Every structure is written in C-alpha cells, then in structure tokens.
Amino acid sequence: MASKAACSWLPLAVLLVAAAVAGMTPTAAAAAAAFDENYVVQWGADGRHLVDRGTEVDLAMDQSSGAGFRSKSTYGSGFFHLRMKLPSGYTAGVVTTFYLISQPENGERDEVDFEFLGDKDGKPITLQTNVFVNGRGEREQRLHLWFDPAADFHDYKILWNPYQLVMFVDDTPIRVLRNLTGAVPGYAFPARQTMLVRASIWDGSGWATDGGDTKVDWSKAPFTAGYQGFNVDACATGATPCDSPDLWWNGREYRNVTDAQRKAYEGVKKYMYYNYCNDTVRFNNSMPVECSYDL
C-alpha cells in the first residue's frame, strides 16, 4: 500500500462541519475518574511499564516488556472514550491501542480497534481501525490524521449501540457501521457479544511499519504513551438490558449519524489511504456485503 504525505490541515469547510458536529456528539464526563475506578492493569505491572498517576496513566515499552490495561467490567453497549497522547520521534514497529474485545478471545470474538502504527522520524503515525465480528476481521481502514497525535492528548471515542457503531477522533467520525442485520443477510455487525475495554503498547515489528520491514529501534526506548479520561458511559453486563432505549447512548438522536456528521465523515475519507472496501484484489471482487451500503 502506498502511503500519502502527512496531512497537517483540513479544508475550512471540513473544519466548520467538525465544529458543528462537536455540538451534537457525546463528550467525556467533566469530572475525571481515577484509573482504578473502572480499569485494572493487564500486564506490565512492575511500576515502570505502567505508571498510574490517578487520573492519568503512562504505558511504556522497552525491550523487556510493553504494558496494557483493561476495564473491570464487560459491556453490551455504550459510549467509550479515552484521551491518548502517542509516543513521539522514531516509533517504527510500535503499536499503541484502544479497543473493545469480547471474551474469550478466540476465533469467534468481536473486536473494535483503534491501532496507532508508529513510523520513522518525519513520517506520520498511521491510525488503523478494524472491526471483527464472530472472529472475522479483514476490515482495515488506514489514515493519517490531520494533526500530530504525539504532540498532545486527543479524544478517541466509540459509540456502540444496537443501531450503529461510530468511531470518532475528537468530535469527527472516522468510521461508521450501521446495523442492518435485520434487513441484509450476512451483514457484519457486533451485536451478539459483550466486550471489555482494553488499551496497550506493544512490539508490532512483524507488520506495523513498511509491512514489517522496519523494526523497533530499541536504542530509542522507552516508548511512552499517555492515557486520560477513565470514565465509562456504558451498560455493564448484568445491568439494565443493554438495548434499552432508556440508556442515553441508545436514544433516538444516536441511532443514525446526523447530516453534519455525515459531511464530516465524507471529508475525512480523503485522508484514508487504505480502505478494505476498495481492495477488489484482496477479496477477488467478492466484496464484503457492508461495502455496498451507504450511511
């Protein structure tokens, strides 16, 4: 896949639409939750690779280990969000993540991924998103963001309800999947399994940069990512039925993208340099069914 140059700006029209979207998109709660209210350490619990500062956590990777954390609960719907600041400088081979994943993590799992793929100095970080349903993935989309995600914290959000899955960067939707399972046979939507929230930093030298040709340079370690925003607005397993219309993220205003969100989403597509729905060679012209449906 040929990479495009980094995008340091958005056209004024897209910026104006994104500003309008901000007024109609759910945002993280104002009162900051402490990390241990909703999350626990998954790995790297040695005081060096995961540093808990209360309302901020640093994940670090060196040659001995990476680190990760997960939510205490599994969820059946909700609005999930983390603020992230990615490792800077030479980060080839470094993968930094925020994702939802069902349990057990086997060949029938559901998964919704934000994966940030590092690169060499002067090359932009790639944001890869992917969605697995019943163990089937191969739905990658890759783009270069219109800002440097290593320069400051930004919001990364997943709205997941019985009607749609929307992934946001700040208040701009970058991926939308409608739930058309009742109308379209074979439509792939994660609606059957509850999911954990997870985040991690790890060595993806085998694939993340230049198809695996460019590896992690351990002389540049440690690579450190910051996380904030540990509130979780979601339906925990065993709570109110997670498809209840009384849950705010299942409300009528969150069952479709708005016109402003649709325009912002279309504007972001020009920064996407790989979309599985355009890869006819990969799928031998038998494209996944969702690629035939607009929002």
Side-chain angles (χ1 to χ4, degrees), residues 21 33 53 60 78 109 112 121 192 207 231-232 258 267 284:
V21 172
R53 306 182 192 279
R109 75 188 185 283
V112 181
D121 283 324
R192 182 176 63 88
W207 66 279
N231 306 75
V232 179
T258 65
N284 194 26

Side-chain angles (χ1 to χ4, degrees), residues 3-26:
S3 172
K4 294 181 179 178
C7 308
S8 59
W9 55 274
L10 280 173
L12 179 59
V14 175
L15 289 173
L16 292 175
V17 170
V21 172
M24 54 189 76
T25 317

Side-chain angles (χ1 to χ4, degrees), residues 112-285:
V112 181
D113 296 328
F114 278 107
E115 295 178 307
F116 297 88
L117 313 181
D119 215 316
K120 301 176 288 296
D121 283 324
K123 296 287 187 178
I125 292 168
T126 288
L127 170 55
Q128 173 173 284
T129 66
N130 202 356
V131 178
F132 288 75
V133 181
N134 296 328
R136 181 184 163 221
E138 297 185 330
R139 295 178 175 87
E140 298 93 344
Q141 293 179 342
R142 290 186 171 192
L143 71 154
H144 291 144
L145 293 168
W146 49 96
F147 56 86
D148 179 1
D152 205 349
F153 284 89
H154 287 266
D155 290 310
Y156 302 95
K157 312 172 186 179
I158 301 170
L159 173 66
W160 173 45
N161 64 27
Y163 311 99
Q164 61 176 349
L165 170 71
V166 187
M167 304 178 75
F168 298 91
V169 173
D170 292 324
D171 292 305
T172 302
I174 62 160
R175 185 166 189 149
V176 181
L177 182 65
R178 297 281 299 135
N179 185 358
L180 301 178
T181 53
V184 182
Y187 198 83
F189 189 83
R192 182 176 63 88
Q193 304 186 77
T194 60
M195 291 194 271
L196 284 170
V197 186
R198 277 194 165 180
S200 61
I201 186 168
W202 54 280
D203 177 7
S205 289
W207 66 279
T209 307
D210 300 329
D213 289 340
T214 306
K215 313 294 186 182
V216 170
D217 180 352
W218 295 112
S219 72
K220 310 292 187 183
F223 305 97
T224 303
Y227 288 81
Q228 300 172 342
F230 300 114
N231 306 75
V232 179
D233 299 308
C235 179
T237 303
T240 303
C242 291
D243 59 355
S244 169
D246 295 331
L247 298 170
W248 67 261
W249 54 84
N250 293 342
R252 188 170 299 277
E253 62 268 43
Y254 301 116
R255 297 183 185 183
N256 293 282
V257 292
T258 65
D259 289 343
Q261 288 172 331
R262 186 177 292 108
K263 289 178 182 177
Y265 177 54
E266 291 299 321
V268 166
K269 285 183 178 179
K270 68 182 66 178
Y271 302 105
M272 189 177 296
Y273 68 88
Y274 178 79
N275 184 350
Y276 74 107
C277 279
N278 298 330
D279 196 341
T280 56
V281 174
R282 180 180 189 179
F283 295 101
N284 194 26
N285 288 310

